[in-house]
């Protein structure tokens, strides 16, 4: 049986502001539970809209968890508040990175996955800004830590990004190449990126320095 189970998210703090994550919707597997994927919506959207779409997919063995981002002022919108996984002021690789916001959302995703059974595969995916958090989670998994240095303990089996980008791409190569363990993890990381009709399957280290799709 498949159904949506909304719950209230936990709070987080970024840049001195207390932020509350919105409702989380769960689409349960219709068959044997073999994988759980946290799916992240884009800027201004919510988890409910994606849960309805994901429930219609012929993927009976996947449990989908669709959280909702906090409502926060977004610089690119002149400070207008909307649901956003982190603040963004410039859609280019030269724009500033909101590491506090990225870490808070990646930690929220990790918390959602932390209670899943140990015998299933875990993944993160998303669209647009949600894809950015999914890819950022991949970097945390490869390095074994968040951007703030706290340990990242989730063993991700796959990351999917639709029409997204890689935050902190300017500093990522040095961080990955500075650790043999991070390079080992990155070299075998399963990563699927899609944009429009394009499908790109990367071995993670081949794309870690610059991803804009």
């Amino acid at each position: 049986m498949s159904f949506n189970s909304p719950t209230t998210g936990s709070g987080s703090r970024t840049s001195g502001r207390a932020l509350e994550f919105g409702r989380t919707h769960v689409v349960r597997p219709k068959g044997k539970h073999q994988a759980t994927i946290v799916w992240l919506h884009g800027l201004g959207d919510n988890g409910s809209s994606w849960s309805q779409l994901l429930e219609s997919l012929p993927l009976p063995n996947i449990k989908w968890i669709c959280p909702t981002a906090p409502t926060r002022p977004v610089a690119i919108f002149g400070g207008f508040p909307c649901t956003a996984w982190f603040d963004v002021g410039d859609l280019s690789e030269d724009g500033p990175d909101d590491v506090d916001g990225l870490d808070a959302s990646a930690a929220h995703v990790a918390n959602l996955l932390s209670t899943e059974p140990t015998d299933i595969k875990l993944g993160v995916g998303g669209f647009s800004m949600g894809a950015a958090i999914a890819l950022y989670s991949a970097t945390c998994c490869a390095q074994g830590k968040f951007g703030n240095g706290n340990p990242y303990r989730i063993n991700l089996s796959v990351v999917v990004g639709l029409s997204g980008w890689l935050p902190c791409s300017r500093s990522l190569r040095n961080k990955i190449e500075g650790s043999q363990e991070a390079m080992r993890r990155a070299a075998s990381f399963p990563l699927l990126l899609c944009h429009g009709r394009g499908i790109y399957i990367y071995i993670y280290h081949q794309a870690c320095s610059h991803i804009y799709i």
Side-chain angles (χ1 to χ4, degrees):
M1 181 177 181
S2 176
F3 60 91
N4 291 340
S5 175
T7 59
T8 301
S10 59
S12 70
R13 183 174 299 272
T14 177
S15 301
R17 303 186 304 272
L19 298 174
E20 191 75 17
F21 286 89
R23 298 169 71 87
T24 295
H25 297 260
V26 177
V27 179
R28 302 196 180 279
K30 299 178 178 69
K32 181 181 178 181
H33 184 194
Q34 296 179 328
T36 295
I37 297 178
V38 173
W39 190 267
L40 305 170
H41 62 77
L43 181 63
D45 203 356
N46 58 66
S48 176
S49 60
W50 277 98
S51 70
Q52 296 172 43
L53 185 151
L54 294 168
E55 189 170 17
S56 68
L57 297 180
L59 299 170
N61 304 118
I62 297 178
K63 173 183 176 182
W64 301 93
I65 301 177
C66 303
T68 299
T71 297
R72 71 178 80 206
V74 178
I76 200 170
F77 292 156
F80 184 82
C82 67
T83 52
W85 298 109
F86 54 94
D87 192 17
V88 58
D90 185 2
L91 292 179
S92 77
E93 64 177 350
D94 297 321
D97 293 308
D98 176 17
V99 177
D100 288 343
L102 290 163
D103 276 345
S105 290
H108 185 62
V109 171
N111 287 337
L112 291 172
L113 290 171
S114 66
T115 58
E116 291 300 295
T118 58
D119 60 340
I120 64 168
K121 296 182 181 299
L122 304 178
V124 184
F127 171 75
S128 188
M129 178 177 270
I133 289 294
L135 294 172
Y136 184 76
S137 296
T139 72
C140 295
C141 183
Q143 297 176 85
K145 60 184 178 181
F146 294 95
N148 59 16
N150 290 338
Y152 187 91
R153 296 190 173 94
I154 301 299
N155 183 24
L156 295 177
S157 296
V158 66
V159 167
V160 179
L162 306 182
S163 300
W165 71 96
L166 177 62
C168 304
S169 61
R170 290 168 296 174
S171 59
L172 179 58
R173 178 179 287 276
N174 288 338
K175 290 181 178 180
I176 294 292
E177 292 182 347
S179 166
Q180 290 295 322
E181 180 63 17
M183 289 182 65
R184 184 191 66 79
R185 291 178 181 174
S188 59
F189 203 96
L191 178 64
L192 173 64
L193 304 180
C194 304
H195 183 83
R197 295 181 179 179
I199 299 177
Y200 311 90
I201 301 175
Y202 285 81
I203 296 299
Y204 188 71
H205 74 285
Q206 295 174 341
C208 68
S209 63
H210 180 90
I211 296 177
Y212 256 83
I213 58 174

